[in-house]
Amino acid sequence: MAHLVKILPENLVKFSAFPRRFAHTVQPVKLTYDEYLPKDQTTPGGAPVLIMHGLFGSRQNWRGISKRLTQVLKPGRRILSLDARNHGQSPHTHEHTYQHMAEDVREVIRGIPEAEKVILMGHSMGGRCMMYFALEYPELVESAIIVDISPFSNAHFVGNLNDMKELLKTLQNISIDPKLTPSAARKVADTKISGIMREKATRDFILLNLYKNDDSSFQWKFNVEGLLANIEASISRFPEEMLQKKYNGPVLFIGGADSPYINPKDLPRMQESFPQARLEFIANAGHLVHVQKPLEFLDLVVNFLNR
């Protein structure tokens, strides 16, 4: 199985398959991504699958899922797991809106000349990015899978919006002795944020982003300052004006049964913008449903895409 790490080239060729849009001021960035190919196919036959993680995540969170999808999808498909802007190895910028993120995804697709349409998958923040993209560029989307988020959820990754702000400010101000090992540094950071975030699994997920630079200083892989500047106005809400548009292709919403991020009563409202939307819940799973129940999650995804 091929596994490639790619950063989009400086000059991207414009392909006629892409619709013309009026010029806007949103400047996309060149996302870093991992590419996974079926080992028994030189040229994958189906639409590529683009996956975007949630807030505080990275493309590496989807490595296992991506590898498995190359083995079980029929026809075989190219899988691209993206680092969102301000996360992982993608550029850090002050701008972080769903419109910016959707334009970043569009630039990735421009680099796949044979892709007339793509399949979108996104978790949490990444799910809202993919919803935005499907509504803005429906002609480029074959289908979409949205994981544990909806356009209407007011829940946040660690609770309410004030908790989120406090978490980011705490991460911003944590001072860690460069003499510490990464393991010891994570314990220091864990102590600092445990009063804000009680769930250890979620803290561990965030602490995976703490790493040691070549100069021995510690740094976060995500852009704390950029996220803090945009958390209230841009990240915590899905733009209401986008819900006036429609994406008429197939959409599967997957939620964790123990997560508050999708209210099943909202499905009729979701279907106003996504008329073919289906909603499935996985038992005994929370917000990180794909991590907590990977086999059940994969079953839903594969059955949906191989339909």
Side-chain angles (χ1 to χ4, degrees):
M1 178 188 307
H3 172 206
L4 307 173
V5 180
K6 290 193 176 183
I7 299 177
L8 289 181
E10 206 52 45
N11 296 310
L12 292 165
V13 179
K14 307 300 181 184
F15 295 97
S16 59
F18 291 87
R20 295 182 180 274
R21 288 288 193 277
F22 292 109
H24 52 64
T25 58
V26 172
Q27 180 63 45
V29 300
K30 298 172 178 63
L31 301 183
T32 301
Y33 61 87
D34 286 343
E35 182 176 18
Y36 301 84
L37 300 173
K39 64 180 180 179
D40 58 346
Q41 287 187 252
T42 304
T43 304
V49 180
L50 274 62
I51 304 176
M52 183 174 284
H53 57 80
L55 187 64
F56 302 136
S58 76
R59 69 188 193 279
Q60 296 177 350
N61 303 144
W62 287 86
R63 182 184 299 149
I65 296 287
S66 298
K67 289 181 178 179
R68 183 59 180 156
L69 288 176
T70 64
Q71 299 169 357
V72 296
L73 291 183
K74 305 295 181 185
R77 302 177 186 274
R78 173 186 281 112
I79 311 294
L80 275 65
S81 179
L82 316 176
D83 272 343
R85 65 166 58 208
N86 291 315
H87 291 75
Q89 293 182 330
S90 285
H92 287 190
T93 70
H94 184 73
E95 297 81 17
H96 194 103
T97 70
Y98 290 117
Q99 183 181 17
H100 282 85
M101 295 171 69
E103 292 303 320
D104 296 343
V105 171
R106 186 168 182 260
E107 288 298 289
V108 172
I109 299 171
R110 286 184 184 275
I112 313 173
E114 71 276 18
E116 295 184 3
K117 290 192 174 187
V118 297
I119 295 169
L120 304 175
M121 187 187 308
H123 172 247
S124 197
M125 176 194 73
R128 284 186 168 171
C129 167
M130 296 313 198
M131 281 189 277
Y132 190 110
F133 188 94
L135 293 169
E136 182 68 12
Y137 299 108
E139 64 279 1
L140 297 181
V141 181
E142 181 175 297
S143 61
I145 299 169
I146 310 301
V147 185
D148 210 60
I149 199 70
S150 91
F152 311 110
S153 172
N154 292 317
H156 301 288
F157 196 85
V158 294
N160 62 47
L161 186 57
N162 289 333
D163 286 343
M164 179 68 78
K165 291 178 183 176
E166 185 179 353
L167 171 66
L168 287 166
K169 289 178 181 177
T170 301
L171 295 176
Q172 187 178 39
N173 295 322
I174 289 176
S175 178
I176 300 177
D177 188 341
K179 297 179 182 178
L180 292 178
T181 64
S183 177
R186 290 189 181 98
K187 289 181 180 179
V188 171
D190 185 63
T191 300
K192 296 288 187 181
I193 66 175
S194 59
I196 307 167
M197 184 185 309
R198 295 183 180 179
E199 187 177 342
K200 187 177 185 304
T202 306
R203 296 201 308 271
D204 290 343
F205 178 79
I206 292 176
L207 293 173
L208 288 173
N209 289 277
L210 185 63
Y211 71 99
K212 199 167 192 175
N213 281 317
D214 292 338
D215 63 1
S216 294
S217 64
F218 284 94
Q219 187 174 336
W220 297 101
K221 291 181 181 179
F222 47 76
N223 180 6
V224 177
E225 291 76 16
L227 296 176
L228 183 58
N230 290 277
I231 188 64
E232 184 167 6
S234 302
I235 303 175
S236 64
R237 300 182 182 89
F238 188 78
E240 291 185 7
E241 65 273 13
M242 293 302 294
L243 296 176
Q244 305 304 312
K245 302 186 178 186
K246 286 186 185 294
Y247 169 67
N248 289 307
V251 181
L252 174 63
F253 286 84
I254 301 176
D258 298 334
S259 170
Y261 279 68
I262 301 179
N263 186 336
K265 295 180 180 179
D266 285 337
L267 181 58
R269 296 171 64 198
M270 294 154 67
Q271 289 173 332
E272 292 177 8
S273 299
F274 304 99
Q276 290 197 54
R278 290 172 40 203
L279 175 56
E280 300 281 353
F281 285 97
I282 295 178
N284 302 313
H287 187 50
L288 299 175
V289 56
H290 56 296
V291 176
Q292 296 164 326
K293 297 289 182 177
L295 296 180
E296 293 87 342
F297 177 80
L298 275 166
D299 281 345
L300 286 175
V301 169
V302 172
N303 288 334
F304 176 72
L305 294 182
N306 284 349
R307 67 194 183 285

